[in-house]
Amino acid sequence: MKDYQKHSVLKTEQLSIGYQTKKDTIVIASNINIELNSGELSGLVGANGIGKSTLLCTLTNVQPSLNGNIYINKKPIEQYNNIDLAKALSLVLTESIASKNLSIFEIVALGRQPYTNWVGNLSETDISIINKSLNDTNLKDIKHKKCYELSDGQLQKVMIARALAQDTDLIILDEPTTHLDMYHKAYILKLLQKLAKDNNKTILFSSHEIDLAIQLCDKLVVMTENNVVSGAPSKLIERDTFDALFPKDFITFDKTTNSFKIIR
Amino acid sequence: MSSSNTYKFSFLILIFVLVCCFFANISLGSVSFSIKEIFNALLGVSDNYIIQNYRLPKAFTAILVGSGLGISGLLMQTLFRNPLAGPFVLGISSGASLGVALVILGSGFFGGVFTTLLVSKWSIVIAASLGSFLVLLAVLIVSSKVRDTMAILIIGLMFGSITAAVVSVLSYFSSAEQLQQYIFWGFGSLGNLSWYELFIFSTIILVGVVLSIFSIKALNTLLLGENYAKSLGLNIKQSRLIIIVATSLLAGTITAFAGPIAFIGLAIPHITRQIFTTSNHKILLPAVLLLGAIVMLICDSIAQLPTSDYMLPINAITSLIGAPVVIWLLVRKRKMMF
């Protein structure tokens, strides 16, 4: 494991998110102050419909923020153009890709698009970065397989490899563990943890696997009805943050096992 | 890499087949010539009116039509991520049909003086171009207001319905003679172009092809879906505009000069994907170009019914030959490449 100097990669100040319509403004969450550093794996957790996707969309500049500032590598996100943002921030989305007829190598190679020339030719540097991403995600041996031959778990790894090939400081993943079994959920999150440490990436993912996230993440961003708090999992447990996560009628957070239990 | 070598080999074969089809297309027809006569005419050693001013322009037209329609079909299928899309999904052919219908069927309304003046070949070309251009403009204006690419597809189809309805109304009030003329335009024709017209035709097609080549990177990025493409720094609106303009230049011009030629634009990209088993547009685009030209030359050779005086409508032949080929490919491979 290498030692890197920690520095702030993603930072928000007094951020409000929501939707602006002609008539009024719908605020989904406000006063969001989070700071993610290099080499950190962070999880974003919250109940369904609390605004996790909206927050991710705002952080990735897909939708504008209502108020406040977002800094990526200490530079305000509005000052990035399309290509520069693509070189600073890569995404893994929940949607499946349009063409299943691409091989693993081809998909990962598309991660190099911001760097390639007008027709998309790969240089030797590009190829070596693609091969490194395939190595880091254990996809090297099956790199010529087509997408329609892959399982959901493998496909998720391919999309992570593609984000790695994009060679950005920050990788944001929207629910990377949905549709996966218990083993592969742990596998993917463990892989993300390893990538963050070994490659000094800043990785933020949204997830409903709170138990796993508590065990693996350096930092958690917890969205509740009233506020958005972030911090190390142990600190958040001390402060009883997880109790506010869900309505208390069916489940409750058990501090001794660090997991949710059904109320009998 | 071994895969690029196999592609090179496939391309060499395609080019060879294209050259063969080109010569076969020129040598076949109602009048038969010896090989020596054909070569002499091609090299300009001796004058041969039929070959030099009829068959040669027709062969070139076939090549341009096949390549252009194939490419525009490929562009639309990738842009709309829909294997059913073809060059005419944006209502380009219906716009052209409306223009032509207005000239041919509507000439009755404009009165006697215009009738002979209007129904000349250039007026039909201009009417078709104007029609497809106006419909396209409408689609572009509406589509600049929507963010979803799928909405553009639906809007294109809606414009198609509107123009089809107007054509129906026009036909209802037209004479049998006018209707026949309109239907003949709908059959499509490759053999009507002079060298001068061919020059204009090929220039516009070239512009369309160049625009498509500049879209290769965007098209490959779009294979991941629009959101991923955006996250890779692609300017979606700009790329979408270039792709749509390229398609309309190609499909619009072809419809103007050769009529609404069916099927090629839909089928050629599918056949190419089955042969090359790739979705990479760097391979697909030139392959579609070559294969489109080959298929169109073959269809034209069949349509002119060698040694007979009859000529079948090219539009019927493209579907008669092409549809079974696509069905056979899909059944044999059991897997649709897209």
Side-chain angles (χ1 to χ4, degrees):
Chain A
M1 214 179 279
K2 294 168 215 164
D3 263 334
Y4 293 101
Q5 195 76 41
K6 280 207 169 186
H7 60 93
S8 163
V9 173
L10 177 73
K11 191 177 179 200
T12 66
E13 283 176 354
Q14 303 290 321
L15 179 71
S16 309
I17 55 169
Y19 298 91
Q20 184 95 49
T21 56
K22 270 175 195 161
K23 281 177 194 158
D24 59 346
T25 315
I26 302 156
V27 180
I28 287 178
S30 59
N31 202 10
I32 304 168
N33 296 293
I34 49 179
E35 181 165 15
L36 307 180
N37 298 317
S38 55
E40 278 182 355
L41 174 69
S42 311
L44 169 63
V45 296
N48 283 330
I50 203 84
K52 293 193 299 294
S53 298
T54 314
L55 178 58
L56 289 186
C57 280
T58 314
L59 292 178
T60 53
N61 210 18
V62 172
Q63 101 182 48
S65 61
L66 295 178
N67 233 322
N69 301 310
I70 302 168
Y71 300 95
I72 292 177
N73 285 331
K74 301 195 174 89
K75 186 172 149 186
I77 201 165
E78 309 86 50
Q79 286 179 20
Y80 281 89
N81 65 25
N82 286 349
I83 295 286
D84 287 341
L85 190 64
K87 288 176 180 174
L89 163 72
S90 55
L91 292 180
V92 175
L93 305 165
T94 40
E95 65 181 46
S96 65
I97 54 169
S99 170
K100 296 269 183 206
N101 192 27
L102 294 163
S103 71
I104 293 181
F105 185 87
E106 283 174 316
I107 291 192
V108 178
L110 283 174
R112 297 303 296 165
Q113 290 283 46
Y115 303 90
T116 54
N117 63 0
W118 65 275
V119 76
N121 280 333
L122 299 169
S123 68
E124 269 175 36
T125 330
D126 292 326
I127 303 246
S128 72
I129 291 175
I130 294 163
N131 283 328
K132 185 175 181 312
S133 320
L134 289 167
N135 273 337
D136 288 348
T137 46
N138 294 322
L139 290 166
K140 202 179 156 214
D141 299 329
I142 51 168
K143 68 176 180 185
H144 290 302
K145 269 200 176 183
K146 297 265 185 186
C147 253
Y148 53 76
E149 299 172 295
L150 303 178
S151 69
D152 282 348
Q154 285 171 322
L155 208 53
Q156 198 57 264
K157 277 205 290 182
V158 175
M159 298 323 289
I160 292 171
R162 191 206 61 84
L164 272 183
Q166 209 172 323
D167 196 21
T168 56
D169 289 336
L170 178 60
I171 302 176
I172 291 182
L173 305 94
D174 191 7
E175 303 200 7
T177 53
T178 33
H179 304 305
L180 301 184
D181 61 34
M182 194 88 112
Y183 173 79
H184 284 95
K185 275 178 180 158
Y187 181 97
I188 292 288
L189 295 185
K190 198 84 186 147
L191 174 70
L192 292 177
Q193 188 192 37
K194 184 175 164 298
L195 293 173
K197 291 283 164 299
D198 293 357
N199 299 351
N200 201 31
K201 301 274 181 199
T202 309
I203 300 179
L204 172 68
F205 66 94
S206 64
S207 180
H208 291 297
E209 307 305 319
I210 299 171
D211 307 4
L212 290 173
I214 288 175
Q215 294 174 56
L216 286 166
C217 291
D218 299 301
K219 206 174 260 176
L220 281 179
V221 180
V222 183
M223 287 187 95
T224 61
E225 292 279 359
N226 304 318
N227 55 10
V228 179
V229 286
S230 70
S234 54
K235 291 267 162 55
L236 294 174
I237 293 169
E238 271 173 35
R239 277 188 264 153
D240 295 327
T241 313
F242 295 106
D243 284 335
L245 205 50
F246 301 116
K248 294 192 179 61
D249 40 359
F250 296 119
I251 51 172
T252 174
F253 189 74
D254 181 10
K255 273 192 188 181
T256 50
T257 57
N258 288 344
S259 60
F260 282 91
K261 289 275 180 292
I262 293 178
I263 297 171
R264 290 179 191 277
Chain B
M1 241 162 60
S2 62
S3 56
S4 70
N5 277 331
T6 51
Y7 286 137
K8 256 178 216 159
F9 184 64
S10 313
F11 274 114
L12 283 178
I13 290 179
L14 274 188
I15 291 170
F16 177 73
V17 174
L18 176 64
V19 173
C20 292
C21 288
F22 181 72
F23 282 113
N25 184 276
I26 289 176
S27 31
L28 294 173
S30 50
V31 188
S32 58
F33 295 106
S34 71
I35 292 174
K36 202 179 163 217
E37 279 175 304
I38 290 166
F39 270 98
N40 280 342
L42 284 181
L43 294 170
V45 179
S46 62
D47 282 344
N48 184 324
Y49 187 82
I50 293 182
I51 287 181
Q52 283 169 346
N53 287 315
Y54 180 69
R55 287 192 194 171
L56 211 49
K58 188 158 68 77
F60 280 126
T61 311
I63 290 174
L64 290 172
V65 167
S67 313
L69 286 179
I71 288 179
S72 46
L74 177 69
L75 295 182
M76 288 297 99
Q77 286 175 6
T78 303
L79 180 67
F80 293 120
R81 301 185 291 284
N82 189 333
L84 279 177
F88 300 133
V89 284
L90 292 177
I92 291 164
S93 76
S94 17
S97 312
L98 180 64
V100 173
L102 278 175
V103 167
I104 297 177
L105 307 178
S107 57
F109 297 120
F110 299 126
V113 192
F114 285 113
T115 316
T116 43
L117 195 73
L118 274 173
V119 191
S120 74
K121 195 169 65 186
W122 274 108
S123 67
I124 285 177
V125 168
I126 290 165
S129 312
L130 265 180
S132 50
F133 177 75
L134 287 177
V135 166
L136 185 86
L137 201 67
V139 172
L140 275 181
I141 290 169
V142 178
S143 66
S144 69
K145 296 202 192 305
V146 296
R147 278 172 64 198
D148 192 354
T149 307
M150 289 309 149
I152 303 179
L153 186 64
I154 307 288
I155 290 166
L157 290 172
M158 289 303 113
F159 273 107
S161 306
I162 296 171
T163 49
V166 176
V167 171
S168 302
V169 172
L170 278 174
S171 349
Y172 185 76
F173 291 107
S174 312
S175 67
E177 212 173 293
Q178 287 170 322
L179 265 182
Q180 194 191 28
Q181 203 183 351
Y182 176 70
I183 284 169
F184 266 91
W185 175 79
F187 283 153
S189 154
L190 301 173
N192 280 335
L193 270 67
S194 69
W195 281 108
Y196 174 64
E197 289 160 335
L198 194 62
F199 171 73
I200 294 173
F201 186 33
S202 49
T203 313
I204 303 174
I205 297 290
L206 189 71
V207 174
V209 172
V210 169
L211 283 179
S212 316
I213 291 171
F214 275 102
S215 302
I216 286 179
K217 186 173 171 177
L219 289 166
N220 279 336
T221 317
L222 281 170
L223 288 176
L224 290 177
E226 239 165 74
N227 288 329
Y228 272 119
K230 217 183 274 174
S231 84
L232 282 163
L234 184 76
N235 186 339
I236 298 273
K237 277 204 168 170
Q238 187 197 320
S239 315
R240 198 164 72 183
L241 185 71
I242 295 176
I243 291 170
I244 289 178
V245 168
T247 305
S248 34
L249 276 180
L250 292 169
T253 323
I254 288 166
T255 314
F257 280 98
I261 301 216
F263 193 75
I264 293 287
L266 176 71
I268 296 295
H270 284 297
I271 298 175
T272 316
R273 279 193 209 98
Q274 294 287 356
I275 293 176
F276 283 80
T277 60
T278 182
S279 289
N280 184 351
H281 289 80
K282 253 187 280 176
I283 308 291
L284 278 183
L285 200 83
V288 162
L289 193 118
L290 290 172
L291 210 66
I294 290 170
V295 171
M296 208 61 210
L297 281 172
I298 293 174
C299 288
D300 179 55
S301 306
I302 296 168
Q304 63 199 352
L305 288 176
T307 69
S308 85
D309 285 340
Y310 292 103
M311 179 115 175
L312 296 175
I314 186 74
N315 228 343
I317 301 298
T318 51
S319 301
L320 271 180
I321 308 295
V325 172
V326 172
I327 293 171
W328 175 72
L329 275 172
L330 286 176
V331 171
R332 199 183 58 126
K333 293 223 176 176
R334 285 167 191 282
K335 177 96 205 151
M336 197 185 73
M337 302 286 175
F338 186 65

